[in-house]
Amino acid sequence: MARIVNLGQQVWTNYHQTAECNLKSRIELVNSDEKNGRAHLKGVAETVRDLLGEARQYQIPVRPIGAGWSPSPINVVEDGWLVETLRLNRTYTVAAKDLHEDCEVAAEALLLVQAGATVDEVYESAEEIGRSLRTGGASNGQSFAGACATGTHGSVWQAGGIQDHVRAVQMVTPERILWISPEKPVLSDAFIAQTGSEIIRDDRVFAAAQLHIGAMGFVTAMLIETDPIYMVQNIQKATKIRREHIDWLSRGEFRKFSCEFGLNENPYFQQLIINPFDPFDKKCLLRFLYKRPFDPNIPPPPPRDMGAGYDALTLLGKAMAHSDLFKGAIMQFAMEQGYPDNRDVDDPPAIATWGHTTEEHAPIASLFNGSVTLDRNRLGEVFDLVIDNFKRGGGGTVVTLRFVRQAAGLLAPAHWPDNVVIDFDGPNVESSHKGYKKVIEALDEAGIPFTRHWGKTNNLDEQRVKRDYGQNFADWKWVQAQVMPDPADRQVFANEELRKLGLI
Ligand SMILES: Cc1cc2nc3c(=O)[nH]c(=O)nc-3n(C[C@H](O)[C@H](O)[C@H](O)COP(=O)(O)OP(=O)(O)OC[C@H]3O[C@@H](n4cnc5c(N)ncnc54)[C@H](O)[C@@H]3O)c2cc1C
């Protein structure tokens, strides 16, 4: 079982102070001392099921949360129970006998993680057993379930989102405890029974649960697949690019781009932070990571050398401490101040494991984050339109380009074979919102299909979600009705934002 700590009625504010709510109670779930892994997973799931059952009985909405890092109001609930999961954070290895005989993944590649384990905790557990994750976001403090909920991604162009690691999900509703996996079995029937769960093996149900947006039930644990441990070499620099380089990126000519600014090899990861006031005459900030074999003799370098913490959000936080006036030259100054260490090709190489490429993050009050995801092949066509409209709308902060493959999950925003994600990160002021809205209007007017991040400011509603996801949205809703056939169960997970999105 899990211990339930009732922290009482209070006003709760999310990490970036972009949303708040009046809670009936803030509840923390804490692991018990149970040593046996299966008994523990069973006990926690039963505690959650009973809590959800009670909520249903008294018609109290429940919001499970991880780190509360989503700036969008999907993690708040008015007059309900906010259930914190960060202390449900154990990770377990699995034995071959725990797997189904038809499972095609080796036991040593798998890790069982509780929902509240942070991305950083999962990185560490994986490294302890000689494994790595394939991708992740720019920071590492999200819970694993929370990060998967919204399709958190980085810029590993051959990987999708963090949810792509997931091979099975333990999902709890007011009435049921389920292990959901693809049709091809992963966990053995005996293991599933010992964790007190029913089996659902169905590709469509699994694809809905992989990116659940907190509206498919309460995730208590996940089985994830990892890669053999590897290291990455960081090259990070401030430099000018030309318009034609955007076309190279649009065509996926990453090696050519890397050869021009970094090493003559395919980068594993690449990211550009651009000053929209002058994208080509002012320097942009480039970051490449190149895959290297694991060498236990290389000590972890300081996070600074790996570029950890120099994502746009952290960068802006540093800059905002000095100035809230983000215009042209001032922004360029702020960008380069926040990104001081060039780690160029001629510098001594900075090499570390994947887990050392991000670091913990300190909260920055009231930031704006919005993004659009679109077919990478159209980047060349939309780049000027996006930048011009962002500026025209008054948006005066940095624009980041990241690249990902098609991601898992019916409602994954990265649903083209190759995607570019264009991030707009800045202070939470009217001009940031206006700039973002202008970009959206311009893309719509130009007839360019795009999607938006579930966890960031997105101005989405049900009609738009239906239009963006079509049959996948209908399938996701169908799955939700299979997992929670009784509408009263679904109502337990209702909040204003999920209703607006048509997800509850
Ligand atoms: C500093 C910072 C950096 C970021 N960098 C990136 C980035 O690089 N790339 C990117 O894509 N995004 C990024 N984000 C966004 C962030 O990764 C997502 O918003 C992510 O979903 C947050 O995870 P969380 O654990 O805080 O989830 P929360 O915000 O707590 O929850 C997100 C959703 O999941 C639900 N949920 C959480 N836990 C459970 C559970 N156990 N069961 C059911 N539902 C649950 C919540 O109810 C909510 O609907 C960043 C955010 C911050 C603050």
Side-chain angles (χ1 to χ4, degrees), residues 15-16 63-71 74-75 85 115 137-139 142-143 145-147 149-154 212-214 217-220 311 313 361 402 453 455-456:
Y15 183 80
H16 272 326
R63 187 86 324 252
I65 60 153
W69 271 27
S70 299
I74 51 169
N75 52 16
T85 57
S139 293
Q142 306 94 329
S143 71
T150 63
T152 296
H153 64 88
H212 52 87
I213 321 182
F218 195 126
V219 176
T220 42
D311 58 285
L313 278 184
H361 191 270
R402 296 195 278 177
H453 198 300
K456 300 188 176 180

Side-chain angles (χ1 to χ4, degrees), residues 175-401:
E175 286 172 6
R176 309 167 78 185
I177 302 173
L178 307 163
W179 265 110
I180 300 174
S181 74
E183 226 147 284
K184 187 106 197 137
V186 188
L187 290 166
S188 74
D189 293 8
F191 181 91
I192 290 171
Q194 284 156 8
T195 56
S197 315
E198 291 173 50
I199 303 174
I200 294 191
R201 293 191 181 116
D202 181 292
D203 289 348
R204 190 162 36 154
V205 177
F206 178 64
Q210 254 177 319
L211 201 152
H212 52 87
I213 321 182
M216 189 59 71
F218 195 126
V219 176
T220 42
M222 288 152 291
L223 183 72
I224 64 166
E225 185 178 349
T226 59
D227 282 354
I229 192 165
Y230 59 90
M231 295 183 115
V232 284
Q233 178 177 348
N234 180 43
I235 300 276
Q236 178 174 304
K237 63 205 284 188
T239 187
K240 284 185 189 171
I241 60 165
R242 295 190 304 276
R243 181 63 182 74
E244 69 180 301
H245 293 132
I246 297 294
D247 296 324
W248 295 6
L249 293 169
S250 186
R251 292 195 293 267
E253 292 170 358
F254 296 137
R255 183 175 183 144
K256 193 168 159 190
F257 184 77
S258 167
C259 189
E260 181 100 349
F261 299 104
L263 302 179
N264 184 11
E265 60 179 285
N266 250 330
Y268 184 64
F269 167 111
Q270 82 243 289
Q271 171 187 281
L272 291 80
I273 303 179
I274 291 170
N275 180 342
F277 286 102
D278 212 345
F280 303 115
D281 280 333
K282 294 227 158 45
K283 289 178 178 175
C284 73
L285 309 177
L286 299 185
R287 185 178 184 210
F288 298 100
L289 296 174
Y290 301 92
K291 213 165 179 182
R292 298 286 176 259
F294 177 66
D295 178 350
N297 298 315
I298 299 180
R304 245 180 121 74
D305 284 1
M306 287 312 292
Y310 296 110
D311 58 285
L313 278 184
T314 311
L315 186 66
L316 279 164
K318 288 177 186 165
M320 282 166 69
H322 301 294
S323 166
D324 57 3
L325 191 62
F326 278 88
K327 296 289 168 203
I330 294 175
M331 178 151 73
Q332 188 66 28
F333 174 74
M335 277 167 68
E336 291 184 33
Q337 284 295 300
Y339 213 67
D341 273 0
N342 267 12
R343 176 63 53 172
D344 212 339
V345 284
D346 302 325
D347 293 324
I351 299 180
T353 58
W354 180 252
H356 283 99
T357 59
T358 54
E359 64 176 343
E360 280 172 14
H361 191 270
I364 305 165
S366 217
L367 268 190
F368 172 84
N369 316 108
S371 70
V372 292
T373 299
L374 47 100
D375 181 354
R376 191 209 63 217
N377 293 297
R378 302 193 84 162
L379 173 63
E381 181 188 345
V382 305
F383 184 80
D384 301 317
L385 177 127
V386 165
I387 297 290
D388 290 349
N389 280 282
F390 185 56
K391 279 188 297 188
R392 203 169 297 151
T397 57
V398 294
V399 173
T400 304
L401 301 184

Side-chain angles (χ1 to χ4, degrees), residues 8-10 21-27 55 59-63 76-83 492 494:
Q9 197 177 6
Q10 54 187 270
C21 55
N22 298 290
L23 298 175
K24 205 177 265 310
S25 186
R26 187 174 138 220
I27 294 170
Q59 297 181 10
I60 299 168
V62 172
R63 187 86 324 252
V76 292
V77 62
E78 205 50 38
D79 205 23
W81 290 346
L82 189 85
V83 182
V492 170

